[in-house]
Structures are given as C-alpha cells and as structure tokens.
Amino acid sequence: MTLHLIKLAARATGVDDLINWQTYVRETHGELFHTTRMMPKRVNELLDDGSIYWVIKRKIRVRQTILDIQPFTDEAGIKRCHIFLDPELIATRQQSRRPFQGWRYLPASDAPEDMPMVAEGDDELPEHLKAELMALGLL
C-alpha cells in the first residue's frame, strides 16, 4: 500500500526557493536527495510509488516521487538517511498544514490531488490570485 511523507520546506517562501535549493544539491552532488536524521520504518510502503509532499508557507504546494531511501552515518557518527527524489516537481491542490518538525507519514487517502495541467498563459497569474481561485474551487 502506498504511503507518502510530508515535509516542511524550511525557509522557503515559494516553490522557486525549493527549486533553487534542489538545483544546488543536484549540481553539487550529482543527484537529488533530501537528508534527514530519522530513517523511516515503513520504507517498502514509501517506495511503492510514494512521494514527498512539500509544505511551503503552511500549505502543501508540490510533491516529488521518492526513488530510494538509503541510510548512512555522517562524519560525526550520527545515523541519517538520504531520500532520493525525482527532480520533477508536481503541483498539488493546496492543503493547509500546521507547523511540525521533521517529517510525517501521509496516508495516500489524505494526500492532496495533483493540479490539472495548466493551459497556456495560466502560469502568469500571481500566487495570491491562484490561491483565492483554488479556495473558491475554480482552479
């Protein structure tokens, strides 16, 4: 059964900040991963088409498919893990979330659905207008 993770995109003020950070990681390390201290115990469910849903400014905004999860020990002897991600960011319906630390499991039944493909010119709408239209169920 598919299971997802939900994670705060710390210090990101928009999706562009997440893109910039991940571009830096990919260029520096040659692959895209997110490092976390806690190793998920439900790895098989996460690798069964699971995604990481990113919370930006208290709302889930985008997701990325989880490709692999690898434990390792850092230079200080602390156990950590890399969550390897597909570089494609998939926009989701925005879903409000309260602040939390670390990551949380997100059952597939609670995950927001992906946004429909945008028509040409739709990407020119300001973020606040998109949010209002989505709240009204028009986007």
Side-chain angles (χ1 to χ4, degrees), residues 22-33 84-85 87:
Q22 291 188 349
T23 299
Y24 170 77
V25 170
R26 205 170 38 226
E27 288 173 354
T28 304
H29 300 285
E31 52 194 341
L32 179 59
F33 57 84
F84 292 89
L85 302 170

Side-chain angles (χ1 to χ4, degrees), residues 75-106:
E75 305 83 31
I78 299 171
K79 292 183 180 181
R80 300 185 184 279
C81 80
H82 287 314
I83 301 171
F84 292 89
L85 302 170
D86 184 319
E88 180 184 12
L89 290 170
I90 301 165
T92 65
R93 299 257 183 219
Q94 291 188 20
Q95 189 180 84
S96 295
R97 287 292 166 158
R98 295 173 63 164
F100 60 92
Q101 290 184 334
W103 51 262
R104 300 286 184 267
Y105 290 116
L106 179 66

Side-chain angles (χ1 to χ4, degrees), residues 61-63 89-94 112-116 118:
R61 304 279 302 279
V62 293
R63 71 175 179 88
L89 290 170
I90 301 165
T92 65
R93 299 257 183 219
Q94 291 188 20
E113 60 187 46
D114 294 347
M115 288 289 292
V118 295

